[in-house]
Amino acid sequence: MIADPTSALILPFATGALTLADDARGAFLRARADAALSAWRGRLLCEQGFKPDTNALVAAGFEAVPRISSGGFDFVLCLPSKQKQAALADVARGLSLLREGGVLVCAGRGDAGAASIAKTVKRSVGTFGEASKHHCRVFWLRRGDALPACCAEWLAAAEPRFVDAIGGVSAPGVFGWDRVDVGSRLLAETLDDRIGGRVADFGAGWGYLSREILARCPRVAALDVVEADAAALDAARRNLAAPGGVAPSFRWHDVACEPGLGPYDWVVSNPPFHAGKDADPEIGRAFIRAARAALAPGGRVLLVANRHLPYEAAIDAAFKDRVTVAETPAFKVIEARA
């Protein structure tokens, strides 16, 4: 059976370990649409900063926002981050959003660190209960009259901060938050003054490639920083302040599925190719198709990918010609013309 933490969230309610009043109000952190939660549609406020999941929640009839601003909920559901600091901050936020006596229910994949998170929470806070199902760990706890002392520490540890290794601001839970991706570094080395006009960085993350575009490409007239993860985009805003230079535009956008971008003279991208823990090269192919749709006639895409990823056929189907402009044993940088 496939690990399914969203469905696992309902386990304590299905078994009777927890009960809710008919008028109970709930919040759902790192929410995902799932048929198992359809009965709670209309009384769950969903928080989701990843645009594809936000769009799926809205399509399924849930109310979804990037960030919940006030609490007092009777119950909170949470799918904690796989990154431990961010996951503990998720638990702390969940507790902070509850009224006194409200219940927090968390679930995660057993192969993605959920057991370790549950153990830390139990040691530091104490748990009301826990169970396993669907290859997932579920645990729940009640809010007392005051937040446990560890919550302030957990929230502080996940705050955005300056990271020496990247020379910029990022936060635990953002992809590659404390390092510069090797493929992105190779792509940056190919940037030069040929790149100009209106430019976009698709899947910009915390802003490394956008920063390099602004530094290496003096003919850029406008730059769209396009990213699906709201937390990463917030970091990019901090990293790309450009007084006296090009002022980037920041777009919270699902490149793979949402139209409305462009027209651009250049698209630069290090496309993602994982959905959670699972590799999915179709995401990269969708980025390639989106780049073609967003480019003006004669515009160009410049992208980096792992050597083994089969993107050439998708590029040939969408573009007039392509050339490999840089490669290593692990990565390739491809340029293609619309």
Side-chain angles (χ1 to χ4, degrees), residues 84-247:
K84 189 166 186 178
Q85 290 167 288
L88 292 173
D90 290 337
V91 173
R93 273 206 76 232
L95 286 170
S96 73
L97 290 171
L98 287 167
R99 63 165 176 80
E100 183 180 345
V103 66
L104 170 66
V105 183
C106 300
R109 286 171 57 152
D111 62 355
S116 174
I117 298 301
K119 186 179 297 185
T120 299
V121 173
K122 186 172 185 177
R123 183 174 63 247
S124 303
V125 180
T127 56
F128 186 79
E130 57 185 319
S132 297
K133 191 173 184 180
H134 303 311
H135 301 289
C136 296
R137 179 63 59 91
V138 188
F139 62 94
W140 55 96
L141 54 158
R142 289 200 180 272
R143 162 77 187 259
D145 59 353
L147 287 175
C150 59
C151 285
E153 177 185 337
W154 291 348
L155 288 168
E159 281 292 304
R161 83 286 301 266
F162 186 86
V163 181
D164 288 338
I166 69 172
V169 173
S170 189
V174 170
F175 177 77
W177 76 278
D178 59 352
R179 59 184 171 82
V180 175
D181 179 79
V182 176
S184 291
R185 195 183 295 276
L186 178 66
L187 177 55
E189 292 171 359
T190 72
L191 301 172
D192 57 33
D193 60 7
R194 293 185 311 122
I195 297 171
R198 188 175 179 196
V199 181
D201 179 0
F202 279 8
W206 53 261
Y208 170 73
L209 281 172
S210 290
R211 187 175 69 190
E212 295 300 306
I213 290 167
L214 293 173
R216 297 171 184 253
C217 307
R219 295 177 55 239
V220 170
L223 176 64
D224 276 6
V225 182
V226 186
E227 172 55 45
D229 179 5
L233 195 63
D234 284 344
R237 286 189 181 95
R238 298 191 187 199
N239 292 325
L240 296 172
V246 173

Side-chain angles (χ1 to χ4, degrees), residues 249-302:
S249 296
F250 298 91
R251 303 285 298 271
W252 185 47
H253 197 91
D254 177 7
V255 166
C257 296
E258 291 182 305
L261 296 171
Y264 300 115
D265 300 298
W266 286 82
V267 170
V268 177
S269 184
N270 182 354
F273 68 97
H274 281 88
K277 289 178 65 68
D278 305 314
D280 184 4
E282 180 55 30
I283 300 172
R285 297 188 189 102
F287 267 59
I288 290 165
R289 293 190 293 269
R292 177 60 188 89
L295 282 167
R300 294 175 182 266
V301 64
L302 188 66

